Amino acid sequence: MAIAVASSRRVLIATAGTDAESTFEIGSVSKALTGLLYSDALERGVVSPTTTLGEVLPLDGFGPIAAVSLGSLAVHRSGLPRLAPGMSVLRRSLAFSIRGANPYGETVAELVEQTRGVRVGSPRPRYSNLGFQLLGHATASADGRGYGRLLHEVLGPRYSTPSRQDDLDDADLQGASRLGRLVEPWVGEALAPAGGIRASVSTIGGLLRSILDHTAPGLTALRPVADFSPGVRIGVAWITVPYRGRTITWHNGATGGFSSWIGIDREAGVGVAVLSARHGAVDRPGFRLLEEIATSGSAVLG
């Protein structure tokens, strides 16, 4: 496990059983990074909220999905299902449960093919991994770069988006299930924007600091623009909620062997990240630590 606590001036890191440079699967915290990339692309005029998937991805003849806008994907109001309908979800879930197998692994071309004829529902709030996979790859395609290259060139080279297990090295931790069984890494080119990024705690700590000192690209992603559920607002992936009298902007993540949480108290000017190489929610300690830091941040962070 590793924890980062940040202000605009410094980052404090604590680790247990690892070091500050080993990488974790950050799961759906990847969506928060995709939010920054998309918002940065908006600011640069590469895409607009009304840009459709069919304008930037090869979806001719695929049906209604081609008309889905990037703006609707950004706030989980696209009407797309949680996962691509062509994934054979039950078979993959069984393989993971029995063998700890990676349920992903598609290329971007395979992901696009899985969306052929997908039914697009009503534009109500509905969390969609598929939606953020497509948002990230659509943004990268519009910018003329693959997603991994866009991530490196906009947010920095210390993130990785492994497509195969062979892409991993000694710095990449292996995760374990809730019961402690080692599981296969969740890798795959298509997965990256929604859940396939790896990062170290020092890298995530640096991201927190850059958000708090307003140097991170795409900061408008954190600004809540739509209701997501009662009392909950959403920006581009980033969720904003009231918590014990404070306002917290956050996202969490989980893969088969990892769990993650990142949160910011923008009024207090502090942030926290919790990364674990074991499956099991870390939201509660993340929220509690951020509350403690927010109320005594000047003493802790100097």
Side-chain angles (χ1 to χ4, degrees):
M1 177 173 282
I3 294 171
V5 175
S7 70
S8 62
R9 297 183 300 277
R10 64 186 300 204
V11 179
L12 302 178
I13 289 173
T15 62
T18 184
D19 58 54
E21 301 303 330
S22 294
T23 75
F24 295 74
E25 293 175 2
I26 63 171
S28 285
V29 171
S30 303
K31 294 181 178 70
L33 274 62
T34 295
L36 298 175
L37 297 178
Y38 168 71
S39 296
D40 176 68
L42 287 177
E43 293 162 11
R44 292 187 288 112
V46 174
V47 295
S48 77
T50 59
T51 300
T52 65
L53 288 175
E55 292 177 59
V56 290
L57 293 176
L59 292 169
D60 288 347
F62 275 47
I65 191 171
V68 171
S69 70
L70 302 194
S72 68
L73 293 168
V75 293
H76 290 298
R77 285 178 177 264
S78 64
L80 292 182
R82 187 179 184 92
L83 297 169
M87 275 191 65
S88 303
V89 174
L90 179 59
R91 175 177 58 80
R92 295 182 188 213
S93 296
L94 286 172
F96 172 74
S97 298
I98 295 170
R99 297 185 284 107
N102 173 24
Y104 293 95
E106 288 86 357
T107 65
V108 175
E110 289 168 338
L111 172 71
V112 169
E113 183 59 33
Q114 287 175 345
T115 69
R116 185 181 294 275
V118 64
R119 180 178 178 180
V120 178
S122 62
R124 60 183 175 82
R126 184 182 187 186
Y127 189 88
S128 176
N129 288 310
L130 171 61
F132 259 79
Q133 287 177 282
L134 294 171
L135 177 66
H137 291 301
T139 300
S141 177
D143 207 32
R145 302 181 253 188
Y147 181 84
R149 181 180 167 195
L150 180 67
L151 177 69
H152 292 161
E153 294 182 358
V154 175
L155 291 182
R158 297 179 66 191
Y159 301 96
S160 65
T161 54
S163 296
R164 305 166 303 162
Q165 290 195 37
D166 289 348
D167 295 333
L168 303 177
D169 60 29
D170 292 342
D172 298 306
L173 297 171
Q174 185 171 9
S177 70
R178 189 184 301 271
L179 299 177
R181 182 182 68 173
L182 295 178
V183 299
E184 289 185 2
W186 284 19
V187 296
E189 181 189 31
L191 176 63
I197 297 174
R198 276 184 173 259
S200 68
V201 70
S202 65
T203 298
I204 297 298
L207 174 67
L208 287 171
R209 181 175 179 176
S210 70
I211 290 172
L212 293 165
D213 70 12
H214 307 293
T215 61
L219 282 175
T220 54
L222 280 73
R223 184 184 306 155
V225 296
D227 292 332
F228 191 60
S229 62
V232 178
R233 301 271 288 165
I234 189 171
V236 184
W238 292 82
I239 302 295
T240 297
V241 297
Y243 179 77
R244 298 189 179 183
R246 310 199 68 86
T247 299
I248 306 301
T249 302
W250 67 287
H251 210 290
N252 63 2
T255 63
F258 293 81
S259 299
S260 56
W261 187 91
I262 184 171
I264 295 169
D265 185 321
R266 301 177 77 183
E267 181 179 358
V270 294
V272 165
V274 182
L275 307 178
S276 173
R278 188 161 182 161
H279 182 83
V282 292
D283 299 34
R284 184 174 296 179
F287 274 107
R288 288 182 174 174
L289 179 57
L290 182 55
E291 180 194 21
E292 292 177 11
I293 297 299
T295 56
S296 60
S298 59
V300 175
L301 291 164

